[in-house]
Amino acid sequence: MDFRWWRRSFFGAFLSWVFFFLRFSCSDKACAAPEYTFVKEATSAPPVIFYDYIIIGGGTAGCPLAATLSHGGATVLVLERGGSPYTNPNITNIGNFASVLLDRSPTSPAQPFTSEDGVYNARARILGGGSAVNAGFYTRASTHYIKKVGWNQKMVKQAYEWVEQVVAFQPPLMEWESAFRDGLLEVGVLPNNGFTYDHLYGTKIGGTIFDKEGHRHTAADLLQYANPRKITVYLHAIVHKILFRHIPGTARPQAYGVIYKDAYGVRHLAYLKRNSKNEIILTAGAIGSPQLLMLSGIGPGYHLRTHGIQVVVNQPLVGQGMADNPMNVLLIPSPLPVEVSLVQVVGITKFNTFIEGASGLSFVYPLARRLAKRFRLFLNQSDYEPFKVPPEDMARAVDTVNAVVNRTLRAGIILEKITGPASTGHLELRNLNPDDTPFVTFNYFKEPEDLRKCIEGMRTVISVVNSKAFSKFRYKNMPIEALINLMLTLPINNRPRHATAAISLEQFCIDTVMSIWHYHGGCQVGRVVDKEYRVLGVDSLRVVDGSTFYRTPGTNPQATVMMLGRYVGKRILQERYLSRRSKHKN
Ligand SMILES: Cc1cc2nc3c(=O)[nH]c(=O)nc-3n(C[C@H](O)[C@H](O)[C@H](O)COP(=O)(O)OP(=O)(O)OC[C@H]3O[C@@H](n4cnc5c(N)ncnc54)[C@H](O)[C@@H]3O)c2cc1C
Ligand SMILES: *[C@@H]1O[C@H](CO)[C@@H](O)[C@H](O)[C@H]1NC(C)=O
Ligand SMILES: *[C@@H]1O[C@H](CO)[C@@H](O)[C@H](O)[C@H]1NC(C)=O
Ligand SMILES: *[C@@H]1O[C@H](CO)[C@@H](O)[C@H](O)[C@H]1NC(C)=O
């Protein structure tokens, strides 16, 4: 496929101008928060509106998709259930990563939920989606992944670059992250690949969406690319239902509008303008997209009927294939102060486990909340026979507790995440409220290969903690057993715990599993959508987000989710343009 056509077009010229303007006005990308005239509160929306594209969810994929589609001559509407990321310091400042996850208010940008597996988790509710609340690590999918999915490699590369021009930065590597990186190299996670966005075996510094000042840039920043005359974004606009109709003479139901509610609970309607090329695109994320399909009548028939939902298409695969990569962690209290870092370095091992580290604040947010309370256990020497802390270290350990209260934790974490995973589960409606998280089951470690990867990953984590390079950031008299026992005493999930004495790494993986928030599936390609992301069995509806994945791309997914929004947007424009041209010919 060749996209040179758009360069010749008016919109291409416009885009180049936007590029030029962006470069000119934000020389190091760290420009002030953009002021979008087209982003409004849904309370200001008319009761009935008509657009060419209706995008449900202004998230990590939704924003780049909308910005791209606004250059096709068509009008674009984005409906996002959350607010703006530009006004909340919990979001814009790297030091507040834990705060946003600790915000449990009904309007929190990170809506908490617990999966049926008993693992704490979070779901974005804000313009920018997950990219507005996440740990910011930015890294591309492997060439192997891109080939396997069947994407056009050249277009993928261009789409990544388009994203990176606005939101990706090289992190300033400081002492803790350097020691962690050197530890990975020392234990043989080689070669040293330096700084790169590419997915390569060995140890690398990846990108981040935090700039040098520690300010977050999100997928919402990609709306800078949008044609402001063609796009409207409504905030606090929660979509309740996609509407379908039967066109006489066609067999398939066609999506033609949506019902959404504003912050006052007032109902509005948005319809597609009459044109067979117009579409509704669901970008509500791996939980929101299958949930909204079900609420709109596309899903397992028996399940929908239990909830009194009229079945449009009996599609038993909606909500299937839900997967969440298990994360297992060691928390390592540090005798030295540490910098605030979220993920910057990753070890990509040959056995398909990724090793990442973070320091200075609680990446593992339930720890921040509860560590202070439980720390007494940690200090109880009799609980940890081999772990004897001399009084002077004890005083420093108490400082660590105080630091937790201060949100800057004098400790680091080293985590391992397995690829895939092979284990999958499913999603079921809890009720008819789209803002409530449905029941989600991920079945962590159901497949033995996942457990094997975790054990190997934990072995590597332990080797890094024990490495010479890392030694200054751990207490010498705190052996690995004490760190393991510490994890077992912390309420990091809501699962049964086994005896702390001499626990196997296998049991450790199972008992202390957490989410790294890379959950995906529910509307997978080939099962719920086709290769162009069109929903099977209906017309004028696509799903474009993490729910379409079988496995997480790269070590962390957000780069590829943003890329996907851009990529599919370009393909849709191409389709629209080609059909327009062929109409002219006829
Ligand atoms: C705490 C956390 C840390 C993470 N750390 C990293 C990291 O460091 N690096 C990385 O690469 N990835 C990370 N991730 C994962 C990454 O952010 C997600 O995989 C990605 O953002 C998912 O994108 P998405 O477009 O599929 O969904 P989302 O970005 O979640 O977008 C879905 C959007 O749809 C909206 N929505 C849902 N339902 C409705 C509805 N009914 N009506 C209107 N709007 C609706 C939501 O509010 C949301 O804005 C992290 C995720 C979290 C939560
Ligand atoms: C930031 O997070 C804290 C919870 O840690 C919450 O109390 C506060 O209201 C949040 N601030 C904003 C502006 O949302
Ligand atoms: C410390 O250990 C002793 C002996 O095992 C136990 O009785 C006590 O409850 C522990 N204290 C705390 C705070 O857990
Ligand atoms: C928080 O940190 C500041 C400065 O580092 C320190 O002065 C203060 O005592 C700390 N507060 C707590 C509760 O530890």
Side-chain angles (χ1 to χ4, degrees):
M1 298 283 159
D2 190 318
F3 266 52
R4 256 169 300 176
W5 66 266
W6 72 258
R7 282 192 211 144
R8 290 194 305 267
S9 71
F10 167 74
F11 301 107
F14 182 78
L15 245 197
S16 323
W17 178 80
V18 171
F19 263 120
F20 175 76
F21 179 75
L22 279 176
R23 286 224 189 94
F24 192 71
S25 61
C26 315
S27 48
D28 74 341
K29 289 191 282 187
C31 48
E35 294 202 9
Y36 300 128
T37 50
F38 51 83
V39 177
K40 301 166 188 169
E41 282 295 320
T43 46
S44 70
V48 180
I49 44 182
F50 293 84
Y51 280 83
D52 295 317
Y53 291 106
I54 300 172
I55 295 178
I56 304 170
T60 312
C63 289
L65 176 69
T68 303
L69 291 178
S70 72
H71 289 280
T75 54
V76 180
L77 174 68
V78 179
L79 299 171
E80 166 54 45
R81 68 177 182 142
S84 164
Y86 295 111
T87 49
N88 185 342
N90 284 352
I91 288 171
T92 50
N93 188 342
I94 190 170
N96 293 341
F97 171 72
S99 309
V100 80
L101 292 170
L102 290 170
D103 179 356
R104 303 181 82 81
S105 70
T107 55
S108 170
Q111 178 181 16
F113 73 95
T114 304
S115 67
E116 300 311 291
D117 312 271
V119 172
Y120 304 131
N121 214 319
R123 179 187 175 204
R125 178 168 44 199
I126 182 134
L127 188 66
S131 71
V133 301
N134 71 17
F137 196 53
Y138 182 97
T139 178
R140 294 182 181 184
S142 66
T143 312
H144 174 77
Y145 186 99
I146 292 160
K147 279 189 193 149
K148 210 167 165 202
V149 173
W151 290 326
N152 176 311
Q153 287 187 62
K154 193 173 151 214
M155 279 176 66
V156 164
K157 184 166 174 286
Q158 286 168 348
Y160 275 127
E161 286 165 358
W162 180 88
V163 169
E164 283 150 17
Q165 200 134 18
V166 173
V167 304
F169 301 83
Q170 177 167 0
L173 206 65
M174 290 188 280
E175 284 201 45
W176 191 93
E177 288 278 350
S178 303
F180 167 57
R181 180 209 37 205
D182 295 346
L184 280 167
L185 296 172
E186 184 182 320
V187 306
V189 186
L190 292 164
N192 180 355
N193 290 314
F195 167 69
T196 176
Y197 296 140
D198 291 338
H199 188 93
L200 308 165
Y201 285 119
T203 294
K204 72 163 186 174
I205 301 164
T208 172
I209 59 175
F210 291 99
D211 65 27
K212 282 191 205 74
E213 282 79 46
H215 296 143
R216 180 192 291 275
H217 294 261
T218 75
D221 288 23
L222 296 170
L223 291 171
Q224 288 173 45
Y225 282 121
N227 177 353
R229 289 183 311 264
K230 292 289 184 184
I231 188 171
T232 305
V233 178
Y234 284 124
L235 301 177
H236 299 112
I238 176 145
V239 176
H240 281 245
K241 201 175 180 177
I242 302 165
L243 303 169
F244 295 93
R245 67 178 164 203
H246 281 276
I247 306 277
T250 60
R252 294 148 60 96
Q254 184 193 38
Y256 74 104
V258 304
I259 299 172
Y260 67 100
K261 287 189 182 169
D262 67 23
Y264 301 145
V266 174
R267 203 177 114 120
H268 301 248
L269 287 161
Y271 293 115
L272 291 181
K273 286 188 193 166
R274 273 197 184 266
N275 177 334
S276 64
K277 286 288 147 192
N278 291 349
E279 290 181 69
I280 294 172
I281 306 169
L282 194 45
T283 53
I287 290 173
S289 287
Q291 178 187 22
L292 204 57
L293 280 185
M294 287 189 194
L295 290 175
S296 308
I298 302 184
Y302 70 94
H303 178 56
L304 302 191
R305 279 188 289 270
T306 326
H307 286 273
I309 298 168
Q310 201 193 332
V311 179
V312 175
V313 178
N314 177 12
Q315 201 348 338
L317 297 175
V318 173
Q320 293 300 310
M322 297 298 302
D324 191 26
N325 304 68
M327 169 173 88
N328 290 84
V329 166
L330 284 184
L331 175 82
I332 309 132
S334 166
L336 296 179
V338 297
E339 74 266 14
V340 173
S341 76
L342 294 174
V343 182
Q344 298 183 341
V345 169
V346 61
I348 301 176
T349 67
K350 287 256 156 79
F351 47 87
N352 288 319
T353 302
F354 308 131
I355 318 289
E356 300 178 358
S359 65
L361 81 170
S362 187
F363 180 80
V364 185
Y365 70 97
L367 294 184
R369 189 153 35 120
R370 296 178 176 123
L371 188 60
K373 276 191 228 149
R374 297 294 181 104
F375 207 79
R376 222 197 291 246
L377 276 177
F378 171 45
L379 296 179
N380 193 340
Q381 295 188 38
S382 51
D383 280 355
Y384 303 103
E385 282 310 332
F387 167 37
K388 294 270 183 265
V389 181
E392 65 274 18
D393 272 8
M394 189 71 94
R396 271 185 290 184
V398 171
D399 283 347
T400 305
V401 180
N402 290 335
V404 173
V405 180
N406 263 353
R407 278 188 314 207
T408 39
L409 177 65
R410 188 186 279 190
I413 62 143
I414 299 181
L415 66 88
E416 62 87 27
K417 165 202 167 175
I418 67 165
T419 46
S423 309
T424 60
H426 62 278
L427 176 150
E428 277 178 9
L429 295 176
R430 187 184 298 270
N431 54 36
L432 301 182
N433 183 354
D435 212 26
D436 282 351
T437 303
F439 296 112
V440 192
T441 308
F442 294 116
N443 293 321
Y444 300 99
F445 300 120
K446 190 170 158 222
E447 300 297 331
E449 70 176 86
D450 289 347
L451 200 50
R452 278 198 300 274
K453 282 180 197 157
C454 181
I455 293 166
E456 284 208 72
M458 283 313 300
R459 287 204 183 108
T460 310
V461 171
I462 289 168
S463 306
V464 174
V465 175
N466 283 334
S467 70
K468 242 177 94 184
F470 190 74
S471 60
K472 62 180 169 183
F473 287 111
R474 66 175 294 207
Y475 287 96
K476 285 175 189 57
N477 48 11
M478 200 182 283
I480 293 296
E481 294 73 39
L483 299 177
I484 284 180
N485 284 342
L486 170 59
M487 294 311 296
L488 291 167
T489 58
L490 294 170
I492 50 178
N493 61 28
N494 192 17
R495 285 159 73 90
R497 292 293 155 74
H498 294 77
T500 60
I503 191 169
S504 64
L505 281 182
E506 180 175 341
Q507 199 64 53
F508 177 83
C509 285
I510 295 169
D511 286 5
T512 67
V513 65
M514 281 178 273
S515 176
I516 191 169
W517 311 286
H518 297 172
Y519 50 82
H520 53 277
C523 301
Q524 289 163 318
V525 174
R527 302 177 91 192
V528 174
V529 298
D530 69 13
K531 281 205 167 254
E532 296 294 337
Y533 300 88
R534 295 186 205 94
V535 176
L536 299 169
V538 297
D539 285 332
S540 310
L541 181 64
R542 299 194 208 221
V543 180
V544 182
D545 59 29
S547 69
T548 63
F549 295 152
Y550 282 83
R551 311 164 69 81
T552 39
T555 61
N556 300 56
Q558 71 166 341
T560 306
V561 179
M562 287 190 253
M563 184 285 292
L564 182 69
R566 171 66 176 169
Y567 177 91
V568 177
K570 296 280 293 191
R571 292 187 76 92
I572 293 175
L573 281 191
Q574 187 184 43
E575 249 178 63
R576 195 177 186 100
Y577 178 79
L578 288 177
S579 79
R580 204 163 54 196
R581 263 217 314 216
S582 55
K583 244 186 238 159
H584 280 309
K585 258 190 241 155
N586 294 345

